Amino acid sequence: LAPEAHVGAFNNLLPVNISFGVGSLDKLVEIIDQESASRIIIVSDAIIIELPPVAEILARLRTGDREVHVVLVPAGEPTIDTVDQIGAQFRDIQPDLVVAIGGGSVLDSAKGGRLLLANEGSIRTYSWPGTPAPIVAGTTRLVTIPTTSGTGSEVTGGVVMTDPDTGMKVAAPSPNNRANYCLVDPRLTVALPPGPTLWGGLDALGQAIGSVVCAANTPVGDALGLESIRLTTAALPAVLADPSDLDARSSMSCAAL
């Protein structure tokens, strides 16, 4: 890439407190204690919730006086209807803190549910395309824990869904949707089958390329995008050849950020 003759004005918002590395999942209890959270929702899916590291951390969370609720996201990509249903559960429970453990669908569903805690009505009201209503920031804290390496939803402010009425992709984006904490533990991606590993890796690569070539690119975005491209092109073939390669899994987890 040719160097720019002039760097113009730009804005970047990178507010998520990220802990990266093997074993970072273990910091969850510390974060919950730090936030003095007593009513917690765990958002996941039926497969992820049974992974040994996840089951172990859930057992630890259930000790003491904490009230722990588990909300399982249905299989497939989130829709306006499924996010509204999750939002209704959140409104009933009124959590202090939400923990989302899963792939992009789980993370987006959790972000959408938290959005609806502070904003009335349906998620459709806040979705684009159209003229979405402004999204008000709530007080419920959010911890994201990705189990795939692809969408980057763990650190973004987007809530991506399908509109069942039109079949189109819609989104409810806002900086107020971003997580407060993100724990990236590459161990959680080792059980991912080859197909989703490949699709997620190509997603990460495509988004990295897009961040560099888009009209709204910034020097910060370029730096992150180029490093993601470097990591993905080396690590994705390696992890497809050996799914248990934790070093390659770690590189892919970092690339997806």
Side-chain angles (χ1 to χ4, degrees):
L1 296 175
E4 293 288 342
H6 171 71
V7 176
F10 67 91
N11 296 295
N12 276 98
L13 179 65
L14 305 170
V16 182
N17 186 337
I18 300 170
S19 292
F20 180 93
V22 173
S24 61
L25 177 64
D26 296 336
K27 296 182 180 179
L28 180 58
V29 175
E30 176 185 335
I31 290 170
I32 288 172
D33 288 343
Q34 177 182 313
E35 293 289 339
S36 300
S38 59
R39 185 178 298 120
I40 302 152
I41 289 179
I42 308 295
V43 184
S44 192
D45 65 34
I47 295 174
I48 297 300
I49 205 74
E50 299 295 337
L51 291 178
V54 176
E56 180 182 336
I57 202 74
L58 284 181
R60 290 173 59 190
L61 290 180
R62 288 189 168 110
T63 61
D65 297 328
R66 301 185 192 94
E67 184 181 325
V68 179
H69 301 261
V70 175
V71 172
L72 296 181
V73 172
E77 296 190 359
T79 68
I80 287 176
D81 292 343
T82 62
V83 173
D84 279 349
Q85 291 164 12
I86 289 167
Q89 293 181 71
F90 279 28
R91 287 166 175 166
D92 286 342
I93 296 168
Q94 290 293 310
D96 305 313
L97 183 143
V98 174
V99 181
I101 310 176
S105 294
V106 168
L107 303 182
D108 279 0
S109 296
K111 287 189 287 184
R114 185 180 67 149
L115 181 161
L116 292 175
L117 276 172
N119 298 268
E120 63 182 10
S122 167
I123 193 78
R124 186 185 295 277
T125 306
Y126 310 96
S127 299
W128 182 93
T131 53
I135 294 171
V136 176
T139 58
T140 302
R141 310 293 275 174
L142 174 63
V143 183
T144 53
I145 305 173
T147 60
T148 62
S149 303
T151 69
S153 180
E154 58 267 25
V155 290
T156 70
V159 178
V160 180
M161 304 159 285
T162 300
D163 183 343
D165 293 344
T166 65
M168 293 178 58
K169 287 279 192 177
V170 298
S174 169
N176 295 329
N177 294 335
R178 291 181 188 265
N180 304 101
Y181 302 90
C182 177
L183 305 179
V184 185
D185 191 332
R187 290 180 304 165
L188 300 180
T189 69
V190 172
L192 198 64
T197 296
L198 175 60
W199 306 328
L202 293 177
D203 190 351
L205 181 60
Q207 294 197 50
I209 293 170
S211 72
V212 175
V213 302
C214 72
N217 71 315
T218 72
V220 174
D222 289 351
L224 295 172
L226 290 170
E227 177 64 1
S228 178
I229 293 168
R230 185 188 72 83
L231 289 169
T232 303
T233 53
L236 184 55
V239 82
L240 290 172
D242 180 5
S244 66
D245 185 339
L246 195 52
D247 287 338
R249 291 284 188 184
S250 295
S251 292
M252 287 306 305
S253 292
C254 185
L257 282 171

